[in-house]
Amino acid sequence: MVQARGGVELDEVLAELVARRWEFREQRYVSKDFVAQLKRLGLYRVATPERFGGERMSPAEFLRRIERISVVDGSTGWVASFGSLPIYLGSLPLEAQEVLYADGPDVVLAGALHPAQRATPTERGFLVNGRWKFASGCMAADIICVGIPGDDALGRPRGALIRPERLQIVQDWDVVGMQGTGSFDVVAKDVEVDREWTFVRGGEPVIDEPLFRYPAIAYAAQSLSVVSAGVARAALDFAEEVGSGRASTTGAPKLADRGYYRAGIAEAEARLRSARAYFYEAADEAWEAVVAGGQVGEEQNAHLRLSAAYLARTCSEVVHQVVSLSGVVAIYRDHPLPALLGDALVPQEHAFLSPAMYDAAGAVLMGQPATIPAFR
């Protein structure tokens, strides 16, 4: 049993989530009071610099906790996964980080980085205007990062950190999967942001701690991908439980008495476990490198990106296979599988987990440059 600060245990939080997951899906976001429970589990301090009270946790351990949450509800797992995002802020000026964590290390960060929007230089920083999509978790965020054009020598984009009360949240999230993530649009109208509250995305970290030597984009990709593993686990658990005990409405043998069902579910089980093994193996190897004082090599980073993309795609296929084996009952709106199918669809569609990762990883493994920008 995982216990966090204040005696809050993960099992207790998951029991509450079972009772509230449909509430979150119907309102289209995870309520702030429940995000506070995730805070008390320590999930939003694992990527906070240790000098500001962060508690070191290996990526694999964090990912396993997100996976457990996602077995119960993928949307909540998706929102909890943003506990990894503060490593994006590695190049944020130190004085801004001191203010950001002044009230404690448990800071909920939401991001709406694309498309980069207009930022007019001012004497203090930038006057920001625009509308950004997919600000998952913004309804409970302490700070929101929006994307603005870059101005460094390499042309890398910048992130601007803005308090939620200075932005307009447009509740336009109407989707078939991950319905409770609250991935709403955010709008800025003449919001001035001091330059020290902006940072170069992918810039050199100002703090030297092991996690800030772990590839930030790869960690973000892993955090989203592992949600799909939880969703696939939920689908297989349901299939194995229901298949063993319910007869067909037509009078045919129960599912577990049918050879194609047994074989298909067994195959799906093997595929999920194999993809997970590769995923966690890559995470452990990369973490061992940084804890030993080194850097994550190009090939190691390629395996992080490849294993994350492969896990998301495999999990979507696993859930689809479970649905296709489950018969006509799975077409009903109130059946558990359609919701899991929708949730499993989403992670593989994220830009960090798209099929382009296969080409980019393959190029790196063959000694060539990655074929996409921001691969590392």
Side-chain angles (χ1 to χ4, degrees), residues 43-284:
L43 294 176
Y44 290 102
R45 62 172 49 198
V46 299
T48 298
E50 293 176 57
R51 66 184 295 167
F52 298 127
E55 296 178 0
R56 185 186 300 188
M57 180 182 291
S58 74
E61 183 179 353
F62 174 74
L63 294 167
R64 286 188 171 91
R65 295 191 185 191
I66 299 305
E67 185 179 8
R68 282 195 62 192
I69 295 169
S70 302
V71 172
V72 179
D73 182 51
S75 292
T76 304
W78 190 270
V79 171
S81 77
F82 294 154
S84 68
L85 285 189
I87 66 167
Y88 260 117
L89 308 183
S91 63
L92 184 71
L94 197 58
E95 58 268 28
Q97 295 197 42
E98 290 172 346
V99 175
L100 181 63
Y101 299 115
D103 294 330
D106 303 295
V107 173
V108 179
L109 172 65
L113 302 177
H114 301 288
Q117 298 288 348
R118 182 160 51 96
T120 306
T122 66
E123 184 176 342
R124 291 168 42 194
F126 301 93
L127 188 66
V128 178
N129 284 276
R131 181 169 179 158
W132 296 262
K133 301 195 72 65
F134 304 123
S136 301
C138 61
M139 296 294 286
D142 299 307
I143 197 83
I144 295 176
C145 179
V146 299
I148 61 176
D151 57 358
D152 76 331
L154 298 177
R156 292 174 294 188
R158 300 186 75 86
L161 296 181
I162 304 175
R163 296 291 180 183
E165 58 268 22
R166 303 181 70 196
L167 296 167
Q168 176 189 357
I169 296 175
V170 182
Q171 297 190 25
D172 58 348
W173 188 239
D174 186 12
V175 290
V176 298
M178 297 292 174
Q179 296 172 345
T181 61
S183 301
F184 302 131
D185 287 10
V186 295
V187 178
K189 295 181 179 179
D190 293 330
V191 176
E192 188 167 19
V193 181
D194 292 350
R195 189 173 184 87
E196 59 265 29
W197 282 92
T198 72
F199 61 97
V200 176
R201 285 155 53 197
E204 191 68 24
V206 298
I207 294 174
D208 184 18
E209 294 179 5
L211 192 60
F212 290 89
R213 295 196 300 272
Y214 195 91
I217 294 177
Y219 197 13
Q222 290 176 303
S223 299
L224 299 176
S225 177
V226 80
V227 174
S228 64
V231 173
R233 180 72 270 157
L236 280 171
D237 286 349
F238 177 83
E240 290 162 10
E241 177 182 358
V242 170
S244 62
R246 188 163 69 193
S248 166
T249 56
T250 64
K254 63 184 179 182
L255 291 171
D257 291 336
R258 307 178 195 185
Y260 71 84
Y261 188 83
R262 294 193 300 265
I265 296 301
E267 178 191 23
E269 184 78 48
R271 294 178 68 195
L272 173 60
R273 289 175 178 264
S274 298
R276 286 183 72 257
Y278 175 32
F279 177 81
Y280 283 112
E281 176 186 87
D284 286 335

